Amino acid sequence: MTGFAIFTPDMPALKQTFRVAVACAIAFAAYKLLGLQQGYWAVFTVLIVMQGSLGGTLGAAFDRMLGTLVGAGLGALGALIHDDGTLATGGALVAATALGTYVAMLRPQLKVAPVTASIMMLTMPHGTPIADFVIDRVVEITLGGAIGVAAMALILPASSQAMVTLRAAAALDKMLDLIGRMADAVATGETTSFVVPLVELRPALAAIEQALREADREHAARLSRHAIPAAVPRTLWRIRSDIVLVARALDPPFPQPVRVLLGEAAADVLRQIGNDMAACGTALRTRRAVERIDIAGSRGAFSSAFASFRTSAEGNALSLDVAGRVFGISFALDELVRDLRDLAVRIDEMNSAVLPPSSSANER
């Protein structure tokens, strides 16, 4: 009905919600059964370490464990050097957290160290042996981390490999939209700003690199295997750089003589490049070979038009700035074609590798 938004469930979010809920229930039951005095630390750890993928959870659990060990050591040291006086306790607390913060600035994976140190000093019951308190906290946090990793590995598993491919396909969708807008702009001469979508591409590509690091972590821990070449995100960055060159060439729009002689030919090449991007995205999502798009005809037509334009009266009458941008778009189109061909080869290498089917390949 008009006026009513249709709610579409986000399946990855629903699956992660289910995983976290089950893991929290297991952590709660475990600490009750084991009789841990402050077992809620296990539940907190589950909530902290569980990420959107197994590799991300594994990394967060390791960082949490490492930070806990350092923070527990600082908290124990702070507890040892002060009496029960308020000023002494406050001074030791400040010293322990300051040292923990300094260590965390040098090693970001230890960012929980000052938090752990301060919580330990503020929650340690009077008269409790320091060594016992530290050991209990380490056990509880180790328990929570183990439950979090096991939940990600066993409950509706979410591999980082699937995340890499889906994020790469989504980035290609953004690039495809940009290429379509650029094709329209070069053909019509409309003033169009590409700054915002180009900026938005940066975090999208960075997220692909992060997911690949998580997939490598899973592979190293023997929790999963993947065959994603490191060249895939690098090639996507190069394609973005090529698109930036096209955007710079089109700002401001070409004068009418350039559009008349080169506009449609350049727009046709861009549209064929867009078809190539769409084929790469489809191959990533379906884990099939990339369908090759014949760009040679369009590229040849543009090359012929460009060669004629260079010797024409209109071409010789161009200002230095416009001439530079015309040559720039020709160079950028060549680079786009070459880098997309390279990406297609990398995707084929990845999809042809013999790996177990990803149980989360359809998470979208």
Side-chain angles (χ1 to χ4, degrees):
M1 290 179 62
T2 304
F4 290 89
I6 299 177
F7 173 71
T8 303
D10 186 312
M11 290 308 298
L14 289 175
K15 290 180 179 180
Q16 182 66 359
T17 300
F18 180 70
R19 293 185 200 102
V20 172
V22 172
C24 282
I26 293 172
F28 177 77
Y31 100 71
K32 288 294 186 181
L33 289 173
L34 294 173
L36 300 173
Q37 291 184 351
Q38 292 183 314
Y40 51 79
W41 282 53
V43 179
F44 292 164
T45 300
V46 165
L47 294 171
I48 291 170
V49 304
M50 290 191 70
Q51 309 295 309
S53 69
L54 176 56
T57 300
L58 187 64
F62 178 79
D63 290 349
R64 170 73 169 162
M65 188 67 225
L66 193 61
T68 295
L69 290 173
V70 174
L74 292 173
L77 181 62
L80 283 171
I81 64 175
H82 77 82
D83 54 28
D84 292 331
T86 301
L87 289 178
T89 302
L93 175 66
V94 170
T97 54
L99 183 56
T101 300
Y102 179 75
V103 171
M105 291 298 294
L106 298 178
R107 295 289 185 271
Q109 65 267 37
L110 300 177
K111 60 184 178 181
V112 301
V115 178
T116 301
S118 61
I119 292 176
M120 286 191 62
M121 293 187 64
L122 294 172
T123 61
M124 186 180 299
H126 179 70
T128 301
I130 295 175
D132 292 348
F133 191 77
V134 170
I135 291 172
D136 286 348
R137 299 300 78 72
V138 172
V139 168
E140 289 154 2
I141 288 172
T142 301
L143 176 64
I147 291 172
V149 172
M152 290 301 302
L154 301 175
I155 303 172
L156 304 174
S159 73
S160 299
Q161 175 187 348
M163 189 172 293
V164 173
T165 56
L166 292 178
R167 287 180 179 178
L172 283 169
D173 289 343
K174 293 178 182 291
M175 293 178 180
L176 176 58
D177 179 66
L178 261 172
I179 290 295
R181 292 170 57 188
M182 288 175 171
D184 294 339
V186 74
T188 64
E190 294 180 358
T191 302
T192 306
S193 175
F194 304 106
V195 174
V196 173
L198 283 171
V199 170
E200 290 175 347
L201 269 176
R202 295 185 66 88
L205 297 182
I208 297 170
E209 293 178 319
Q210 176 62 34
L212 183 55
R213 286 192 291 271
E214 294 172 0
D216 290 339
R217 189 180 293 121
E218 290 177 20
H219 185 87
R222 300 181 182 275
L223 294 174
S224 69
R225 293 190 298 145
H226 79 82
I228 304 172
V232 168
R234 289 201 301 267
T235 305
L236 288 169
W237 276 109
R238 290 205 308 272
I239 292 171
R240 180 191 178 276
S241 297
D242 300 336
I243 296 174
V244 170
L245 292 178
V246 177
R248 289 175 178 171
L250 296 178
D251 186 20
F254 288 127
Q256 185 176 4
V258 177
R259 295 199 307 274
V260 170
L261 296 174
L262 295 177
E264 283 300 332
D268 189 48
V269 175
L270 284 167
R271 293 186 185 106
Q272 292 300 321
I273 287 172
N275 292 336
D276 213 359
M277 285 182 177
C280 288
T282 298
L284 283 168
R285 290 188 170 98
T286 60
R287 298 184 66 178
R288 297 176 180 173
V290 178
E291 178 187 357
R292 297 309 196 265
I293 306 300
D294 184 11
I295 302 179
S298 298
R299 189 67 186 95
F302 176 80
S303 297
S304 298
F306 183 70
S308 300
F309 180 77
R310 290 177 60 184
T311 58
S312 67
E314 292 87 348
N316 291 324
L318 292 179
S319 67
L320 208 56
D321 173 67
V322 175
R325 291 192 291 115
V326 171
F327 278 90
I329 197 170
S330 177
F331 173 78
L333 292 177
D334 283 339
E335 292 297 300
L336 267 171
V337 171
R338 180 162 46 250
D339 287 335
L340 275 169
R341 285 287 182 255
D342 184 44
L343 179 64
V345 171
R346 304 301 180 185
I347 293 172
D348 285 348
E349 290 175 356
M350 178 177 67
N351 290 342
S352 63
V354 180
L355 290 175
S358 172
S359 59
S360 57
N362 294 322
E363 274 203 24
R364 300 184 187 176

